[in-house]
Amino acid sequence: MKWLKWALIIFMAVLVVLGLYLAGSNKTEEYTKTEFLMDTTCSVTFYGKESEAAAEAVFAEVERIDKLMNMYNENSDVSRINCSAENEKIKVSEDTYKVLKTAVEVGSKSDGAFDVTVAPITSLWNFSGEEPRVLDRKEVDEALLFVGFSNLVLSDGNTVKKLNGNTKIDLGGAAKGYAGDCAEKIAKGYNLTGGIIDLGGNIICFGKNPKSKDGKWTVGIQKPFAPTGTYEKTVTISEGCVVTSGTYQRYFEKDGKRYHHIIDPKTGMPKNAEYQSVTVVCESSLLGDCISTAAFVLGKERGEELVKQYEGAVYYE
Ligand code: AMP
Ligand code: MG
């Protein structure tokens, strides 16, 4: 019966090796990557077997969107629109067209509080540049003549034309949100159990959070002007987007006064408000991006009404 003893030993050994192998393959692989893209800090944390490959693919996707929508890249769709003449038809990518469609829709629902044609004003303020400056009333009024999304005509075949040659677009309030939706789509094509994507305050959560008992994600709302990672409020969601527009994200100070980057398109000036940030929780990151900026400009009461139309939740800080 010696052979039986040996057969049993070998059988047990195979079971142990197989057990160890399966335990290893089920282990959640966590991968985090951070890069500076779209003029902001972007980071992802993915869980699952293909977490690293997914992160690489997601960053490539964010770069692709940036190339299409960056107003400082002269070959981007945005630059081609900005340089086009009155009534010239410009064919753009499906991506840019989608963003413009949503931006114009939110523009109209927010009574112009969100307006992607705010570029003649934002480029004068130059919040992203090295020497932002305080504008005088006269130059703001002159630039305001070209602001108004009704100057954009969007037609089938992804074409865009401007009714005024001096009108220019700035997708700074929407492109990161769209990149978030695209990033999520790419990530979901990989073998992941879940993940979180943060493109400069546009946060997207999907799948299961392996670090919480119920698989949900808890996202902190940054306390304005406090060190990054200081939270007074958190939101817990299963899946979805948490998007913040805040004065603290981009501003400069001159003579003791703070000038921030969220412009009221009616006045051409930074929106003067008693709150410093607006956070929207909703299904789409593109929508969240547009409506959080809009809700900032609209103020609490009208902002809440707008966000309700999109079945989202909004928090003013
Ligand atoms: P966000 O951080 O999403 O609120 O977007 C702010 C950025 O959007 C600014 O840096 C500008 O590039 C642009 N922007 C500023 N004000 C507006 C506005 N009222 N409507 C649309 N885009 C805006
Ligand atoms: Mg926005």
Side-chain angles (χ1 to χ4, degrees), residues 20 36 45 50 98 116 202 217 247 255 260 263 270 283 285:
L20 285 174
F36 195 82
T45 296
E50 295 184 322
K98 262 191 215 164
V116 281
N202 292 253
W217 306 89
T247 60
D255 300 329
H260 67 81
I263 301 295
E283 261 182 35
S285 163

Side-chain angles (χ1 to χ4, degrees), residues 265-277:
K266 301 256 183 316
T267 65
M269 303 300 282
K271 168 71 184 181
N272 199 359
E274 69 277 13
Y275 45 83
Q276 302 300 330
S277 81

Side-chain angles (χ1 to χ4, degrees), residues 24-184:
S25 64
N26 275 343
K27 206 175 78 193
T28 302
E29 286 170 38
E30 175 177 344
Y31 186 77
T32 297
K33 184 178 164 86
T34 302
E35 267 189 40
F36 195 82
L37 283 177
M38 300 189 94
D39 208 19
T40 191
T41 304
C42 301
S43 68
V44 303
T45 296
F46 291 151
Y47 302 94
K49 281 188 194 142
E50 295 184 322
S51 51
E52 188 169 348
E56 297 303 332
V58 155
F59 276 96
E61 177 71 350
V62 175
E63 273 186 57
R64 183 182 75 82
I65 303 300
D66 185 35
K67 276 202 184 110
L68 295 173
M69 300 181 197
N70 186 336
M71 66 194 287
Y72 301 104
N73 167 1
E74 60 179 25
N75 299 315
S76 69
D77 282 348
V78 168
S79 292
R80 292 194 303 116
I81 293 169
N82 287 350
C83 294
S84 66
E86 190 175 302
N87 290 324
E88 185 186 352
K89 277 193 168 174
I90 301 292
K91 189 167 171 65
V92 295
S93 60
E94 213 179 308
D95 300 278
T96 304
Y97 192 79
K98 262 191 215 164
V99 173
L100 284 172
K101 264 275 188 214
T102 303
V104 166
E105 184 199 294
V106 174
S108 139
K109 287 202 172 166
S110 66
D111 192 22
F114 187 75
D115 195 327
V116 281
T117 66
V118 80
I121 303 281
T122 52
S123 56
L124 283 178
W125 281 105
N126 198 21
F127 290 102
S128 307
E130 277 178 9
E131 282 179 22
R133 63 185 179 87
V134 182
L135 307 185
D136 64 52
R137 194 63 249 167
K138 190 165 166 278
E139 60 185 331
V140 171
D141 285 342
E142 279 168 11
L144 275 177
L145 295 174
F146 313 122
V147 175
F149 61 86
S150 55
N151 283 317
L152 296 177
V153 181
L154 308 179
S155 317
D156 290 348
N158 304 332
T159 60
V160 183
K161 78 174 181 185
K162 304 186 303 190
L163 300 179
N164 186 319
N166 289 316
T167 293
K168 290 185 174 22
I169 59 169
D170 171 354
L171 295 186
K176 287 192 287 285
Y178 181 68
D181 288 333
C182 295
E184 180 186 8

Side-chain angles (χ1 to χ4, degrees), residues 198-210:
D198 180 356
L199 307 181
N202 292 253
I203 297 172
I204 298 108
C205 307
F206 64 92
K208 296 251 175 292
N209 178 2

Side-chain angles (χ1 to χ4, degrees), residues 215-236:
K216 289 186 177 174
W217 306 89
T218 297
V219 177
I221 298 178
Q222 172 66 35
K223 184 174 179 215
F225 300 104
T228 306
T230 312
Y231 309 128
E232 270 185 350
K233 207 180 267 169
T234 57
V235 287
T236 299

